Amino acid sequence: MTSINNASGRGRSAVSCPVQGQSGSPRVVIGISIEVLITENASDSQLRSLTCRMARGMVAWPMPHAPVPSSPLRQILVLAAPTSLIAAIQACAQIAETILAARQGTAALAGWAVVLPFALLMQQMSTGAMGGGVVAAIARALGAGKPQEASALVLHALLIGLGFGLGFMLLMAGFAEPILTAVGGAVVAAAATPYAVMLFGLGAVPAWMANTLASILRGGGQHGLAARTMVWAWVLYPLFAWVLAEPAGLGLPGVALAFGLVFLAATLSMGWRVATGGAGFMPHWRVGVQAMLFGRILKVGLIACLLATMANLTTILVTSQLAPWGTTAVAAYGIAARLEFLMVPLSFGIGSALTALVGRAVGAGDWARARTLAWAGGGLALVAAGSVGIAVGLFPGAVARAFTGDAAVVAIAATVLAITGPALGGFGLGMAMYFACQGAGRMMGPVLAACCRIGLAVGGGWVLAEPLGMGLTGHFWGVAAGITAYGVVTAASVRRGIWGG
């Protein structure tokens, strides 16, 4: 009998044991903190039985096979690198989208700006909110040595993604005009409605399914595999958007059509990867639907979706407050809001790594390690987003002119950016800590932070603008105060007592 024991420590690194089968070819068995007893002359059927008893045909955490670095910072950087590449390319694609919308005219830019919070809500919910719930649930299952549970979670995650995708499609494509009229007024809604109908009617379900599949891959440690597909999607999106919007003459609806097509392709690609074991384990498609497994995802994902809704509701309400100031003010704030939300993909590169790593540490009961990882990642996000914010605050006019040539829009946008730019570092810190809280299953801090943000941005901005007579500038200072409070309150929740003893 050959005994293999890998219960040696915190890292839980995989151990392989070559075993000769009847054919003489080596067999490799991989385990986590388990003792495996293998007969040296085991037959193929015996080996299959053993692996089924171990993991029902699955290879356990971690993947890839390289040893996991012991330094928290190195761990984060190793997993964050591929997702950060996506984030950088996604940011460039979203900047290109903003420029393309501006090229269609100020009315089209204002229409795009009114749809923007709803489009961002869909992306944030499917990627970092419910997607974070998927990553956290799978990571915790694997970290606790329960690969069968991780396999069963795949079907439940996809059913959740499909349900939310259909919900966005029915609501935002079916009732686009009254919703957008309530936010931006009838004139702006006229330009926005065809864009919204195409964006959500064709793109909502593919976006939800693609991002859910990417989250399954990340939960299994396959950040690089998810990154490769999503990189292609975000590289092709602005190219297709330009072709359909301008040479094909479809305008803003062409941008939406391009979004739907690239995410449909991404869904098909990653669906095949997950179905063939690309996440590091084979999914169980015939498992019965279980409320417990839905709960594993939803207990984090629903709270995170609420927070994403509150974040975008902040932008919607501020936009509504600016509507009486005219289309120019709405368009200008749309540029500033886009730059603010560009910190989300920037922070997501770090945050997706934090969700997986913190989830694994919590699954293993190592709360001290989880807190260390969270603060290391939060510091990285603070520096990255803060650097961008300082640059925007120093050169607001140049940044605004990069998006539009309308002098009136540039003037207002430069004012917004000069005020909100320096606060972006706090937003990056808050986003990174939010993703860490998902991995830990400790969401009350982010909830409180989101309440502070919406209260200061909407309520505080109104007080500054109206009773105190600061006008438009008062609204912008309220937005900056809300962003800063979000970062401070979320970070303050990551401490002993809330995160373990």
Side-chain angles (χ1 to χ4, degrees):
M1 306 286 284
T2 301
S3 174
I4 308 168
N5 190 357
N6 184 34
S8 56
R10 181 181 301 169
R12 292 178 176 252
S13 60
V15 172
S16 63
C17 177
V19 182
Q20 290 298 118
Q22 287 182 331
S23 63
S25 59
R27 301 288 191 270
V28 179
V29 179
I30 299 177
I32 302 175
S33 296
I34 56 177
E35 184 171 302
V36 184
L37 297 179
I38 303 174
T39 304
E40 292 182 0
N41 294 316
S43 67
D44 287 346
S45 62
Q46 288 172 323
L47 284 168
R48 285 194 296 270
S49 175
L50 173 64
T51 53
C52 286
R53 290 197 302 273
M54 287 172 57
R56 296 189 61 84
M58 294 178 291
V59 178
W61 186 279
M63 293 289 287
H65 302 295
V68 178
S70 58
S71 163
L73 195 59
R74 287 184 63 200
Q75 279 188 282
I76 294 167
L77 291 173
V78 166
L79 287 186
T83 309
S84 295
L85 175 62
I86 298 176
I89 294 174
Q90 181 180 350
C92 292
Q94 291 174 343
I95 290 171
E97 177 190 86
T98 309
I99 295 172
L100 190 57
R103 285 166 61 94
Q104 312 309 306
T106 300
L109 178 60
W112 169 87
V114 170
V115 176
L116 175 65
F118 300 98
L120 289 174
L121 176 61
M122 179 176 70
Q123 284 284 51
Q124 290 166 15
M125 287 177 68
S126 60
T127 303
M130 192 61 71
V134 172
V135 173
I138 292 175
R140 282 199 297 267
L142 293 173
K146 299 177 181 178
Q148 287 179 306
E149 182 175 303
S151 181
L153 283 165
V154 172
L155 175 63
H156 293 74
L158 292 175
L159 289 174
I160 291 170
L162 178 61
F164 273 87
L166 290 172
F168 266 89
M169 181 183 71
L170 294 174
L171 180 64
M172 292 305 302
F175 301 94
E177 185 173 4
I179 291 173
L180 299 175
T181 299
V183 175
V187 175
V188 173
T193 298
Y195 170 58
V197 169
M198 182 69 75
L199 180 68
F200 294 102
L202 181 62
V205 171
W208 267 95
M209 297 306 289
N211 287 324
T212 300
L213 289 163
S215 297
I216 292 167
L217 292 171
R218 294 185 188 108
Q222 304 301 317
H223 290 65
L225 187 55
R228 285 195 289 274
T229 302
M230 297 307 292
V231 161
W232 277 110
W234 286 112
V235 166
L236 293 174
Y237 169 53
L239 176 61
F240 284 3
W242 172 77
V243 169
L244 293 173
E246 297 191 354
L250 297 178
L252 276 182
V255 176
L257 176 59
F259 179 87
L261 292 175
V262 297
F263 273 89
L264 177 60
T267 296
L268 296 174
S269 175
M270 286 188 290
W272 179 81
R273 292 286 191 176
V274 169
T276 55
F281 53 84
M282 290 296 295
H284 285 176
W285 301 116
R286 296 183 180 180
V287 65
V289 174
Q290 302 175 40
M292 178 190 69
L293 295 180
F294 280 125
R296 293 273 196 272
I297 299 170
L298 294 175
K299 72 176 183 180
V300 170
L302 282 179
I303 296 175
C305 285
L306 172 64
L307 297 180
T309 301
M310 292 176 69
N312 286 278
L313 181 61
T314 303
T315 303
I316 291 168
L317 292 176
V318 171
T319 301
S320 180
Q321 288 177 326
L322 298 178
W325 297 84
T327 302
T328 300
V330 172
Y333 179 62
I335 292 173
R338 167 56 86 190
L339 285 176
E340 175 187 331
F341 281 105
L342 282 178
M343 299 303 103
V344 175
L346 180 63
S347 301
F348 181 65
I350 298 167
S352 66
L354 288 178
T355 303
L357 291 169
V358 169
R360 194 195 320 182
V362 170
D366 194 346
W367 283 96
R369 181 73 169 179
R371 291 192 299 269
T372 301
L373 287 163
W375 278 103
L380 281 176
L382 174 63
V383 171
S387 299
V388 174
I390 290 171
V392 169
L394 290 175
F395 307 102
V399 174
R401 283 190 293 273
F403 291 99
T404 179
D406 187 312
V409 174
V410 168
I412 298 175
T415 302
V416 187
L417 295 173
I419 295 170
T420 61
L424 294 180
F427 189 59
L429 170 65
M431 287 303 302
M433 290 302 200
Y434 154 79
F435 286 117
C437 288
Q438 284 185 322
R442 296 291 189 268
M443 299 298 293
M444 288 309 299
V447 169
L448 179 60
C451 292
C452 291
R453 181 186 177 193
I454 196 170
L456 287 171
V458 179
W462 176 82
V463 169
L464 293 173
E466 302 297 337
L468 297 183
M470 295 179 65
L472 271 178
T473 305
H475 288 294
F476 304 151
W477 278 110
V479 170
I483 293 172
T484 302
Y486 176 75
V488 171
V489 174
T490 305
S493 71
V494 182
R495 65 180 190 271
R496 293 185 65 176
I498 298 177
W499 277 41

